[in-house]
Every structure is written in C-alpha cells, then in structure tokens.
Amino acid sequence: MDLIKVAEEAFAKEKKEFPKFKSGDTITVAYRIAEGNKERIQQYRGVVIKISGQGENKRFTVRKMSDNIGVERIFPINSPFIDSITLNSQGKVRRTKLYYLRSLRGKAARIKKKGY
C-alpha cells in the first residue's frame, strides 16, 4: 500500500459532491468572494475548456465571454470557496482540451449540444 495515499485519505476533509462534467460542457460555478469584511457568492458561467490534474489536485478551466473579451478562470475542484456547480448543458466535442475556442469568435465558437 502507498503510505502517502493512506495519509492523504486520513487527513482529507469532507468532499462536496458535484455533478460529473467534462470538456465542452457549460457549467455555472457559484464561487464565494470576500470583499472587505463582507462575503458574497458570484456566479461564473462558461464552457469547460480543460480538466487537468488528478485526485486532490484536480482543477478545471472555465471560459466565458464578457463584453466580447474572452475570460478564463481556473478552479481547483476541492476549493473551499466553491459553493456549488450546476451543469447547464452538455456539449458534443471530440477533444479534451478546447484551446481552439480562443481564436474563434461569434457563432463559430458555439459548441454543439449533446443528442442533436
């Protein structure tokens, strides 16, 4: 048995259950933000373009368009600041890393929905 994995499991905090999602899916991440002494939840909705890492170090990158400017944000899956993740739609893609979306604009950047 791997002693490192045994130690990580012993000290692991409770894990939140999130829906299964993959690259190409549109998700909404409810992320807690502290501004001064106040705390609020910000909804970040976009397309998952990359999932990387494994186990406790897993993280995913979400890309959204904000005033015709592409904004990408990386979220660690085990972050205590993630309140919830909602799966909005599943996309039909053939790749796991969707870096080609960075160079596409408008209708060309759309992802087909699963099942159509």
Side-chain angles (χ1 to χ4, degrees):
M1 249 211 256
D2 192 7
L3 294 176
I4 295 174
K5 288 185 180 180
V6 172
E8 285 178 353
E9 290 173 4
F11 292 107
K13 298 175 183 171
E14 72 281 347
K15 291 187 177 183
K16 295 180 183 176
E17 289 297 320
F18 297 125
K20 297 283 184 187
F21 59 90
K22 57 181 182 49
S23 294
D25 293 349
T26 302
I27 62 172
T28 302
V29 180
Y31 201 72
R32 278 185 297 181
I33 294 177
E35 294 177 337
N37 57 357
K38 294 182 182 178
E39 198 171 89
R40 66 180 179 90
I41 294 179
Q42 178 179 357
Q43 304 287 331
Y44 194 90
R45 182 177 183 187
V47 177
V48 178
I49 64 166
K50 176 174 81 166
I51 298 175
S52 60
Q54 60 183 356
E56 292 292 314
N57 297 327
K58 193 173 237 184
R59 56 209 172 276
F60 57 98
T61 303
V62 180
R63 179 179 177 84
K64 75 173 186 176
M65 294 302 290
S66 179
D67 295 328
N68 291 328
I69 297 173
V71 179
E72 293 181 8
R73 187 157 182 191
I74 301 169
F75 295 99
I77 197 76
N78 62 345
S79 172
F81 297 110
I82 293 180
D83 195 50
S84 66
I85 297 175
T86 308
L87 181 63
N88 298 100
S89 66
Q90 293 182 328
K92 182 180 177 185
V93 293
R94 301 171 100 184
R95 299 170 185 254
T96 57
K97 309 280 199 258
L98 305 179
Y99 297 137
Y100 65 90
L101 289 178
R102 293 173 176 167
S103 63
L104 300 179
R105 299 286 178 257
K107 287 186 176 182
R110 287 183 299 184
I111 295 176
K112 290 183 181 178
K113 305 289 184 212
K114 198 169 200 173
Y116 291 104

